[in-house]
Amino acid sequence: MLTATHSFEETDASAVVSSALWQADAQPLLRRVAVSDAGTGEAKWIEAVERIRTRRDQEAFVALFRHFAPRVKAYLMKSGAGETLAEECTQEVMATLWQKAHLFDPARASVATWVFTIARNRRIDALRRQRRPEPEDLPWGPEPEPDQAEALALQQESDRLGAALARLPEKQRELVERAFYGDLSHTEIAAETGLPLGTIKSRIRLALERLRQEMK
Amino acid sequence: MYRIRHHPTDALLIGYATGALPEAFDLVVATHISMCDDCRAKLAAYEALGGAVLDEAEGVALSDDCLAATLRLISDSPSEPAPSAAPRPRRRGIFPAPLADYVGGGEEAVKWRPAGMGVRQAILPTAKDARVRLLSIPPGAAIPDHGHRGLELTLVLKGAFRDDGVIYRPGDVEVADETTEHTPVAEPGETCICLAATDARLKFSGLLPRLAQPFVGI
């Protein structure tokens, strides 16, 4: 989704950011909500992507792989892929994480969201055999010094959203899940889930406004 | 600058986020989002929900070789993106990047064909479950009925049209379905250029009542 290129060399800025994330993680002000067993915390994944980007760190990649690859495969199989195709596409999706680590911006999306969009696009390509027109890139994306406050805020919202989703009544959660598995045709859409999406929307809207101001 | 007033429905944005829409509708939605930060932010929120769904889901067992095969994929490809990698599509004049990519350039690259009454059209190549076309409508002329059967999205790129007393300007999307009686007419003064997607598959229109009712409104 992003075009901004970024140096692969480790920069002071990125080291500062990743250590700041870890410190913030321990601070009470972040008020991390309890995430389910499935979510091991966004800060850890942001750090892992950062390490892949700056150091080509295989250990960090393996950690991401162990968490996300089984979920990506499950997503693809629930969306209609057979076992073999799902396995093959999972490998491609995970390899894409390594190759495009420099395009990940924690101020715009959680790592899980980034993985989801890559897996979704792979599914459209492989299962539906159609192209996916993407919105025009904005000239933002990994800035030399990513906005830490924005990244932390989004991280917090992402954890809140995950917790809210986990708390939904079983039936409602299933409807949301099925919509994301591309199974709209068999889905009775629930009218209102009360998930905290508005805050994420507002946060990203503000970031866009700031960006438009800077571009003027 | 004109502030966009008419947006795709939440249901369409969700459909775009989940990857459930026909390619023709994807193109209209992606083109609108390129012009509209409100919808770009909404899309990001729906994609965040997709991320949460993925993260909360239970995984399935991988083959024993899965990690090793992935590492082989990585080591077999260049570690840095090749400079020759396909450049991302760019905006061309009034065509935002995704549309310019399908047209293969800007307005001058469109292969217009006459569609009667001075109207010209160009059908863009997409998967066949829905169709998307560019329309060029002279001032005062009506947009022809282009197989209005299910869902129909019309995005203004240049000029304006009026339908049922409402004026649609660049960036605006009119969402209509088979229950909507409508006759869009180009406003006086300037040729109106629109991107219009129609549902070519009856099967898909069965989805509409449900698609029209989003599960999460933001």
Side-chain angles (χ1 to χ4, degrees):
Chain A
M1 281 175 71
L2 306 168
T3 46
T5 53
H6 201 282
S7 154
F8 284 92
E9 286 127 37
E10 186 169 352
T11 61
D12 288 341
S14 61
V16 167
V17 171
S18 46
S19 72
L21 285 173
W22 283 113
Q23 282 161 19
D25 198 27
Q27 281 166 12
L29 75 101
L30 193 63
R31 291 201 314 274
R32 294 183 60 78
V33 292
V35 289
S36 77
D37 295 344
T40 9
E42 177 63 16
K44 178 178 159 187
W45 302 134
I46 295 175
E47 164 81 0
V49 175
E50 187 70 14
R51 274 162 54 192
I52 293 170
R53 178 173 73 76
T54 54
R55 279 169 249 168
R56 313 267 88 193
D57 185 332
Q58 282 216 11
E59 213 175 283
F61 180 75
V62 171
L64 273 178
F65 185 94
R66 293 209 189 289
H67 181 73
F68 285 109
R71 289 172 169 80
V72 168
K73 186 175 172 186
Y75 163 73
L76 292 164
M77 290 183 71
K78 284 183 191 161
S79 303
E83 167 102 38
T84 314
L85 181 62
E87 181 88 17
E88 199 182 292
C89 290
T90 298
Q91 292 166 15
E92 287 161 4
V93 168
M94 296 312 294
T96 304
L97 297 192
W98 176 279
Q99 285 147 357
K100 299 205 168 163
H102 60 293
L103 297 180
F104 175 69
D105 180 352
R108 293 185 61 191
S110 72
V111 174
T113 300
W114 183 51
V115 176
F116 164 72
T117 57
I118 293 170
R120 172 201 62 199
N121 292 357
R122 191 70 198 94
R123 173 176 74 78
I124 292 171
D125 187 42
L127 267 75
R128 300 191 56 196
R129 297 179 188 284
Q130 68 182 42
R131 286 173 71 191
R132 163 94 180 171
E134 292 283 351
E136 192 162 293
D137 285 323
L138 292 176
W140 66 355
E143 299 156 66
E145 291 184 47
D147 191 318
Q148 292 178 33
E150 274 180 18
L152 277 173
L154 187 69
Q155 181 188 323
Q156 210 177 348
E157 300 296 349
S158 303
D159 284 344
R160 271 187 60 213
L161 177 58
L165 180 67
R167 279 197 310 268
L168 277 187
E170 180 68 29
K171 201 173 170 205
Q172 217 171 18
R173 199 179 70 214
E174 213 172 87
L175 292 178
V176 175
E177 282 170 5
R178 281 165 70 181
F180 278 94
Y181 299 139
D183 187 21
L184 265 180
S185 57
H186 297 98
T187 303
E188 294 167 41
I189 306 290
E192 180 60 65
T193 55
L195 289 169
L197 291 175
T199 43
I200 292 188
K201 183 195 76 175
S202 311
R203 199 166 288 294
I204 292 186
R205 187 71 184 82
L206 282 173
L208 285 166
E209 267 166 38
R210 187 178 58 78
L211 179 80
R212 299 280 186 211
Q213 285 297 324
E214 279 169 13
M215 281 160 60
K216 271 180 190 167
Chain B
M1 204 184 139
Y2 173 70
R3 185 178 163 80
I4 295 171
R5 288 193 175 81
H6 304 283
H7 304 270
T9 58
D10 278 353
L12 283 162
L13 292 175
I14 290 168
Y16 182 71
T18 59
L21 298 183
E23 186 182 354
F25 291 165
D26 272 354
L27 181 59
V28 178
V29 173
T31 305
H32 172 81
I33 289 171
S34 304
M35 305 165 85
C36 176
D37 283 352
D38 285 330
C39 288
R40 195 185 279 267
K42 273 193 179 184
L43 173 69
Y46 288 131
E47 288 180 337
L49 182 54
V53 167
L54 183 77
D55 206 40
E56 295 294 321
E58 258 175 60
V60 296
L62 303 169
S63 71
D64 293 342
D65 185 49
C66 194
L67 176 59
T70 305
L71 294 174
R72 281 198 299 277
L73 262 184
I74 290 169
S75 59
D76 288 350
S77 58
S79 62
E80 292 191 33
S84 62
R88 296 284 302 170
R90 290 194 352 254
R91 163 180 279 272
R92 304 286 173 125
I94 61 165
F95 292 173
L99 176 58
D101 188 32
Y102 272 73
V103 169
E107 243 183 296
E108 71 295 337
V110 180
K111 295 181 182 67
W112 294 111
R113 288 176 193 281
M117 309 295 286
V119 175
R120 296 180 300 161
Q121 68 165 355
I123 294 173
L124 302 178
T126 59
K128 299 282 181 245
D129 49 356
R131 294 204 131 174
V132 62
R133 70 195 75 208
L134 278 164
L135 289 162
S136 168
I137 308 118
I143 298 183
D145 186 343
H146 33 276
H148 190 191
R149 206 159 34 179
L151 185 63
E152 180 180 287
L153 300 183
T154 311
L155 166 68
V156 180
L157 298 159
K158 185 172 140 186
F161 70 78
R162 181 190 294 263
D163 193 6
D164 202 17
V166 178
I167 297 182
Y168 296 84
R169 300 181 194 281
D172 283 336
V173 176
E174 182 180 39
V175 182
D177 64 26
E178 58 256 294
T179 65
T180 323
E181 274 294 326
H182 72 142
T183 315
V185 175
E187 284 283 278
E190 192 182 10
T191 294
C192 177
I193 294 183
C194 307
L195 182 67
T198 48
D199 181 1
R201 185 179 58 165
L202 285 169
K203 200 173 124 203
F204 186 70
S205 56
L207 258 173
L208 290 177
R210 282 173 298 223
L211 253 185
Q213 193 184 19
F215 57 83
V216 265
I218 55 173

